[in-house]
Amino acid sequence: MKCTPGAAWKAWLSLCVLLVVPHGLQAQQDKVAALKQSLAANQQLQKQYKWVETTVVSMKGEEKSRTQKQCFYGPDGKVQKQALSAPPQQAPPGGVKGKLVEKKKAEITATMTQAVDLVHQYVPPDPQRIQAAKAAGNLAITPTGPNSARLDLRNYAKSGDTLSLGLDTAGNALQTVSVKSYLAAPSDAVTLDVTFARLREGLSYPGNVVLNVPGQQIQVVVQNSNYQKVAAAGPAQTTAAPAGAPASGGASTAAMDALTAPIALYPDALIAQILQASTDVPTLQKFSAWLGSNASLKGTPLQDAAQAAGFAACYIALAPFGQVVQMLVQKPDWTAQLGRAFVADKTAVFDSIQRLRAAAQALGNLKTTEQQEVVTETTSTGQSVIVIQPANPQVVYVPVYN
């Protein structure tokens, strides 16, 4: 499940408003236009933040695992997640007991996979299914206040299921989503409850997500919290802009491409960490010095030590990439300019990376290899993006190119 609703929510929310608002055609069109504008603004606002996603899995009322991930938008416009904590590694018991434990884990994993796949049939809701439910008389609209309403859809994806949507019709915002469905049979019940929250700045986000599989006594709770705007570069990072870029504000296309070129062909996950780290050069320099004094540590022990030292998630992720950190600190002017560009206009930075990738791909210099996979995907807004990811998730190669 994603940390935040994407553009797919826009289509069905527009439809919901048409179903809820009982005014004339012009009033409905005005309401839909206002809704789309509000959702577009909320999506752009979301990209200015990073937040913490906490996931707790329980069985029979006993907590089995708890993980935390730092979430933020990456160069491909998708949400990136960086682990902040991991469940303690315990050696499985041996013998028959060990086999039973592993079998039980496999059963739980299979059940959760089915449940999540099922949820995706409901979230985000399909406008065509909403229309079909309305045509079949399976849609009920209940006003819950002067500016709020609840939509209940029966037999939405399966016979006997229910999808309920709580809407703020005045603020053009989603308040709640509730799903009651089942897996193979009605006895294999699955429920989902999502409650949305709002920051003072106006950002709306799914604050609490609860997925239940009562038959297996499994519950998954996801909480999104600690929303913080990505830190802007400080005064110490103020440097002259490269040739072709305006003295302040956004850079020209050529200047932006020159700025992102050194990292454009790096794997997406690595670029995301670099961009985050580039917004604070002094801390990056401090981190580089810390790496030098801990050169004997490698891999996970090094990252654990970085976390214990109090460094943020982006630095922890960069710990195994000493050569990348050195590149960033050896060119502080460029790094600071990159950080300022990222804070000022993330979309322009991501668009630049995509332009450079497309050019490299056209020349035959960007393709799938034994070290990396290069694929073209379509975002929820219909935009094609080139995604670079490691062929082996456990091994990340840093390309060297001119």
Side-chain angles (χ1 to χ4, degrees), residues 27 40 51 83 150 201-202 232 240 255 268 274-275 280 288 305 325 337 350 379 384:
W51 66 98
R150 189 182 75 246
E201 295 85 348
D268 285 42
I274 291 173
L275 292 174
D280 189 349
S288 176
V325 175
Q337 182 65 19
F350 297 154
T379 67
S384 293

Side-chain angles (χ1 to χ4, degrees), residues 50-330:
K50 59 182 179 180
W51 66 98
V52 175
E53 177 191 78
T54 303
T55 302
V56 179
V57 178
S58 302
M59 185 173 183
K60 296 182 179 179
E62 179 182 352
E63 183 175 312
K64 295 297 183 181
S65 68
R66 178 184 293 265
T67 59
Q68 283 192 320
K69 296 180 180 179
Q70 183 85 62
C71 300
F72 48 87
Y73 277 85
D76 58 356
K78 297 180 180 179
V79 174
Q80 303 285 336
K81 298 183 181 182
Q82 173 65 45
L84 296 178
S85 65
Q89 299 295 323
Q90 297 180 350
V96 176
K97 184 177 180 180
K99 292 181 179 179
L100 291 174
V101 169
E102 291 303 315
K103 181 180 179 181
K104 191 62 178 179
K105 286 183 178 179
E107 291 175 351
I108 294 174
T109 301
T111 299
M112 293 311 303
T113 299
Q114 294 177 40
V116 171
D117 289 343
L118 177 66
V119 166
H120 287 165
Q121 296 183 34
Y122 297 85
V123 182
D126 183 349
Q128 293 183 347
R129 281 180 170 170
I130 295 178
Q131 289 280 33
K134 181 185 178 185
N138 291 329
L139 184 149
I141 303 173
T142 306
T144 54
N147 297 310
S148 62
R150 189 182 75 246
L151 272 68
D152 295 311
L153 298 100
R154 294 178 291 107
N155 303 326
Y156 172 83
K158 293 185 174 185
S159 177
D161 67 2
T162 304
L163 170 63
S164 299
L165 311 170
L167 298 174
D168 175 2
T169 56
N172 299 324
L174 187 64
Q175 294 178 322
T176 60
V177 172
S178 179
V179 174
K180 294 181 179 179
S181 187
Y182 54 89
L183 297 176
S187 58
D188 299 324
V190 173
T191 65
L192 175 74
D193 293 286
V194 184
T195 303
F196 286 75
R198 185 180 292 271
L199 299 180
R200 287 184 179 181
E201 295 85 348
L203 175 67
S204 177
Y205 64 95
N208 195 68
V209 180
V210 181
L211 175 65
N212 276 300
V213 185
Q216 301 287 337
Q217 299 186 56
I218 297 174
Q219 182 183 73
V220 179
V221 178
V222 180
Q223 292 182 326
N224 295 307
S225 61
N226 196 27
Y227 275 73
Q228 299 178 1
K229 283 196 172 183
V230 177
Q237 295 168 264
T238 302
T239 59
S248 61
S252 67
T253 299
M256 183 64 78
D257 289 355
L259 193 61
T260 63
I263 62 170
L265 303 187
Y266 283 10
D268 285 42
L270 182 57
I271 291 180
Q273 311 302 338
I274 291 173
L275 292 174
Q276 291 284 336
S278 68
T279 63
D280 189 349
V281 171
T283 299
L284 192 56
Q285 293 171 331
K286 178 182 177 182
F287 179 64
S288 176
W290 181 90
L291 285 177
S293 61
N294 289 272
S296 60
L297 297 176
K298 304 294 181 183
T300 300
L302 176 61
Q303 291 183 299
D304 291 343
Q307 182 175 358
F311 288 104
C314 60
Y315 303 104
I316 297 172
L318 286 174
F321 304 97
Q323 73 276 30
V324 174
V325 175
Q326 283 300 307
M327 176 187 71
L328 296 174
V329 298
Q330 288 174 359

